[in-house]
Amino acid sequence: MTGSELLTGAVRDANGPWVARELGELGFEVARIEIVGDRPADLVAALEHVAEFDLVVTSGGLGPTADDLTTEIVAGYVGAPLELDETMQALIHRRVARWAERTGFAGPALDEATRKQAMVPRGAVALEPVGTAPGLVVRKPAGPLVVVLPGPPRELQGMWPAVLAAPPVVELLATVPRAEPRSLRFFGLPESEIAQTLREMERARDLSAVEVTTCLRRSELEVDLHPLPGAEELAAEIADEIVSRHRKNLISAFGTTTDELLAAALVEHGLTVATGESCTGGMVAARLVDRAGSSAYVNGGVVAYSNEAKTALLGVPAEMIAEHGAVSPEVARALADGARERFGASIGVGVTGVAGPGGGTEAKPVGYVCFCVTTADGLVITRDPVLPGSRGDIRERSTDLAMHLLLRAAGGLPR
Amino acid sequence: MTGSELLTGAVRDANGPWVARELGELGFEVARIEIVGDRPADLVAALEHVAEFDLVVTSGGLGPTADDLTTEIVAGYVGAPLELDETMQALIHRRVARWAERTGFAGPALDEATRKQAMVPRGAVALEPVGTAPGLVVRKPAGPLVVVLPGPPRELQGMWPAVLAAPPVVELLATVPRAEPRSLRFFGLPESEIAQTLREMERARDLSAVEVTTCLRRSELEVDLHPLPGAEELAAEIADEIVSRHRKNLISAFGTTTDELLAAALVEHGLTVATGESCTGGMVAARLVDRAGSSAYVNGGVVAYSNEAKTALLGVPAEMIAEHGAVSPEVARALADGARERFGASIGVGVTGVAGPGGGTEAKPVGYVCFCVTTADGLVITRDPVLPGSRGDIRERSTDLAMHLLLRAAGGLPR
């Protein structure tokens, strides 16, 4: 990854994780993600650090500005001169022509930018741009295969099929062994419990052919088992043992996420959802709508941030707010019921809490959040934890917990 | 950064950008962010790559499980034996005791985990844990200062003040020159225009003491100027020149974000906002509520995902939907007006579009999104672009554009 903006913290790298997952699924072992600035010495050093690998994927630094240096540096690294690819130049020109005319940005600045983006190291496979920057596939003699991709995630991901179809990549892929990783997902389970389970299993047999990693993702614990080639069966046995010991905390034995399980459960049982949110301010609704096809089961929601809105739009009695406070289990329930009824949904979820940083009291500190999920057939699930962290953390954890309670109400958890 | 989960693509690294920004603001030049798996050889290689730097910050790998190796590897790297810190052990024990009793997880597994997390390299400064993992500050003889932090962002960020107060860090900070970067923000401006402006300026004078980077962030272009020490004035002059040439596309001459400007404009003019969202499903409301203090100007919103909800909750006439379609400038306007009126707000925003992947037609393809912002005093701003990208991209760009139009309506753009 290149891009000085990634080192100022202004932008979070989306490409590293995406490419890593794709490569992992193809059977590659991903050793490292490295983010460096657009400075020649740093780019060269980054390529030298990866000389021993089979494949290097770069992203970014293909733009038209002088700080975009990747193509030039890679050409130097593989020892091939840069040449103007006129077909590419014409193609990029056609791409931008209409936009340039319309906006009045046509002219020498744009022509210069087009020419820069059409320079290709001799011998490289050039990949058709998704935006205006072509990708490259080029081998360093006696070194790694280098795949050069643009930085905008949409362009990088759009170019990926062309990467996999490029002859040098096809050739490399033929040499990669496939071993499927296995993922388990738990809620409310500390990492130390998994460590203990593994220690006990290790007394009986050697588990070293399976790499087990645990990762606490806010409210959920993900356990990933990466078998060495041939150890798939051992990985499956370890997974089964972990699942059987911690079944009551299990979300999924096959890595399925809460969101996927919830969508499947809602569709399977023909259920619909409506939201009544205060502190999460639309995050639960947005998370539900994230998935394609969500119109089949999301009726809608109300962000009732002010007390007046809670009363006017979701029928929360003003006296209830006066008596118990806007952040109370009573109001959470009224939000859930109100949303369910107003939107004619089968399940309603209400969330109201103190996200902070101000507004906390001794009885209701920052992080105190009340949840309620109610269904048309009378099920009521409530929670009112004090969640840790910043305003952002509290709102994200609240969204997670709301999704988890919805999953429970929709009957989507394993028995 | 360590954590094999970051290399499977399951988790996106939040700590690298956060630490990079903090260090940048302290005056450090951040050369590299590196993400490696929890494998001993990879961890050792990562530390060897940074031997020439002054400061190395690691995050992650401090958990209680056997795959968490950072402390052990760092101890080896700096050449100091690991010792049990009994004060730390007691402190961690107290932290987890109540939770462990309540959940029934107390016992040898947890004691083992506590002991592992309390091991500290001799001579290191141990930092009090925010969760259960202490941080470390330790110097490699004739090598970099190494700061070892936990992986969960909440813990890492919570420990940061203690890092800055640790004597070896204080000593290092005293040697770092401060040079403030300058950020500009534009909308609808291609990178090639900035490149052209810089080329023209370079003909008249040497700009090499200022590193200029451009970064296209969906709808916005950020231009960052990083002066070498002493070149602050030159950076200011370049910034002024860029601003004066591209003023009509300017959002902010001082790096302020659209969200910050919008919040300030709403507060300054005593305005309130309500949202009526379809395809963005609550993302605009959630983005508004992101900011602390947003209850002063966010009245609420409706996620009207179904046609029935649009009519029942926001008064969009069913005949209008039948005649023009749910995705139409007319319905966007009705959503904005309905939200504004139902929530008694001074500004309403309506968003309805085809987020895909299905549902597109020739007249209204995937990415076609209708926006409308209306105010109580009669201002109406409309847009109906076709936005590129995936479902997620389209929804994010839509949220960006909605925020931008709100900013325009709130009078928060520079003149």
Side-chain angles (χ1 to χ4, degrees), chain B residues 364-386:
Chain B
K364 296 177 181 177
V366 169
Y368 178 66
V369 184
C370 300
F371 299 84
C372 187
V373 173
T374 69
T375 69
D377 54 7
L379 178 69
V380 178
I381 303 175
T382 63
R383 293 285 186 281
D384 63 338
V386 178

Side-chain angles (χ1 to χ4, degrees), chain A residues 191-327:
Chain A
E191 286 183 282
S192 56
E193 284 295 305
I194 299 293
Q196 174 73 0
T197 299
L198 291 172
R199 272 197 301 272
E200 287 175 21
M201 289 180 71
E202 261 163 0
R203 281 186 210 128
R205 61 196 298 191
D206 178 13
L207 307 181
S208 61
V210 178
E211 184 187 28
V212 182
T213 59
T214 58
C215 174
L216 196 55
R217 305 177 61 183
R218 292 190 296 253
S219 358
E220 296 182 12
L221 182 69
E222 185 176 312
V223 179
D224 292 314
L225 300 103
H226 301 268
L228 292 180
E232 291 83 351
E233 207 165 308
L234 177 60
E237 287 169 29
I238 298 174
D240 290 346
E241 181 68 24
I242 294 175
V243 165
S244 83
R245 292 198 191 195
H246 305 287
R247 187 172 298 278
K248 78 179 166 56
N249 297 87
L250 186 69
I251 297 173
S252 160
F254 295 95
T256 327
T257 64
T258 295
D259 295 24
E260 288 165 345
L261 290 169
L262 175 58
L266 292 170
V267 169
E268 185 188 339
H269 302 128
L271 299 169
T272 56
V273 177
T275 61
E277 302 180 62
S278 184
C279 64
T280 42
M283 290 169 75
V284 178
R287 178 96 164 255
L288 286 165
V289 176
D290 260 348
R291 300 184 63 79
S294 53
S295 57
Y297 51 81
V298 179
N299 284 14
V302 167
V303 179
Y305 207 53
S306 67
N307 289 346
E308 295 71 29
K310 289 180 181 70
T311 302
L313 277 103
L314 291 177
V316 181
E319 315 82 66
M320 180 190 282
I321 298 176
E323 186 180 349
H324 300 286
V327 177

Side-chain angles (χ1 to χ4, degrees), chain A residues 33 35 289-290 301 303 391 395, chain B residues 33 35 289-290 301 303 395:
Chain A
I33 298 174
I35 300 171
V289 176
D290 260 348
V303 179
R391 179 179 177 85
R395 295 174 71 227
Chain B
I33 299 174
I35 300 170
V289 175
D290 260 348
V303 179
R395 294 174 70 228

Side-chain angles (χ1 to χ4, degrees), chain A residues 127-195:
Chain A
L127 307 172
E128 185 175 327
V130 173
T132 61
L136 301 170
V137 178
V138 60
R139 178 170 291 285
K140 179 178 169 70
L145 187 64
V146 184
V147 175
V148 177
L149 298 176
R154 188 178 70 85
E155 297 185 24
L156 178 140
Q157 293 171 24
M159 205 176 274
W160 195 248
V163 171
L164 299 187
V169 176
V170 171
E171 205 178 294
L172 179 62
L173 274 172
T175 69
V176 177
R178 306 282 177 108
E180 294 293 319
R182 173 88 183 265
S183 291
L184 313 174
R185 216 172 273 266
F186 298 90
F187 63 90
L189 188 69
E191 286 183 282
S192 56
E193 284 295 305
I194 299 293

Side-chain angles (χ1 to χ4, degrees), chain B residues 152-204:
Chain B
R154 188 177 69 83
E155 297 184 25
L156 178 139
Q157 293 172 24
M159 204 176 273
W160 195 248
V163 171
L164 299 187
V169 175
V170 171
E171 203 177 298
L172 179 62
L173 274 173
T175 69
V176 177
R178 305 282 177 111
E180 295 291 319
R182 173 88 185 266
S183 290
L184 313 174
R185 215 171 272 269
F186 299 91
F187 62 89
L189 187 70
E191 285 182 281
S192 56
E193 284 296 305
I194 299 294
Q196 173 74 1
T197 298
L198 291 172
R199 270 195 303 271
E200 286 174 21
M201 290 180 70
E202 261 165 358
R203 281 187 209 128

Side-chain angles (χ1 to χ4, degrees), chain B residues 277-304:
Chain B
E277 302 180 64
S278 183
C279 64
T280 44
M283 290 170 75
V284 178
R287 179 97 162 253
L288 287 164
V289 175
D290 260 348
R291 299 183 64 79
S294 53
S295 58
Y297 51 81
V298 180
N299 285 13
V302 167
V303 179

Side-chain angles (χ1 to χ4, degrees), chain A residues 4-14 17 20-21 29-39 42 45 49 64-65 67-68 99 105 109-110 112-113 154 188-193 195-196 199 211-215 217 222 224 226 249 279-283 285-286 289-292 294-295 298-306 309 313 342-343 356-357 388-389 391 393 395 397, chain B residues 4-14 17 20-21 29-39 42 45 49 63-65 67-68 99 105 109-110 112-113 154 188-193 195-196 199 211-215 217 222 226 249 279-283 285-286 289-292 294-295 298-306 309 313 342-343 356-357 388-389 391 393 395 397:
Chain A
S4 296
E5 67 274 11
L6 297 170
L7 294 176
T8 63
V11 184
R12 197 184 281 196
D13 171 38
R21 190 178 51 227
E29 188 181 348
V30 179
R32 194 178 304 153
I33 298 174
E34 197 161 331
I35 300 171
V36 297
D38 293 313
R39 277 177 294 240
D42 291 344
H49 289 162
T65 45
D67 59 312
D68 290 304
W99 164 85
F105 286 121
L110 196 66
E112 183 60 35
R154 188 178 70 85
L189 188 69
E191 286 183 282
S192 56
E193 284 295 305
Q196 174 73 0
R199 272 197 301 272
E211 184 187 28
V212 182
T213 59
T214 58
C215 174
R217 305 177 61 183
E222 185 176 312
D224 292 314
H226 301 268
N249 297 87
C279 64
T280 42
M283 290 169 75
V289 176
D290 260 348
R291 300 184 63 79
S294 53
S295 57
V298 179
N299 284 14
V302 167
V303 179
Y305 207 53
S306 67
L313 277 103
R342 296 292 164 110
F343 288 94
R391 179 179 177 85
D393 292 333
R395 295 174 71 227
R397 282 172 198 262
Chain B
S4 297
E5 66 275 11
L6 296 170
L7 294 176
T8 62
V11 184
R12 197 185 283 194
D13 172 39
R21 189 178 51 226
E29 188 181 348
V30 179
R32 195 178 302 154
I33 299 174
E34 197 161 330
I35 300 170
V36 297
D38 294 312
R39 277 176 294 240
D42 291 344
H49 289 161
T65 44
D67 59 314
D68 289 304
W99 165 84
F105 286 121
L110 196 65
E112 182 61 33
R154 188 177 69 83
L189 187 70
E191 285 182 281
S192 56
E193 284 296 305
Q196 173 74 1
R199 270 195 303 271
E211 184 187 28
V212 182
T213 58
T214 58
C215 175
R217 304 177 62 184
E222 185 176 312
H226 302 269
N249 297 90
C279 64
T280 44
M283 290 170 75
V289 175
D290 260 348
R291 299 183 64 79
S294 53
S295 58
V298 180
N299 285 13
V302 167
V303 179
Y305 207 53
S306 67
L313 277 103
R342 296 292 163 110
F343 288 95
R391 177 179 179 87
D393 293 332
R395 294 174 70 228
R397 282 173 198 261

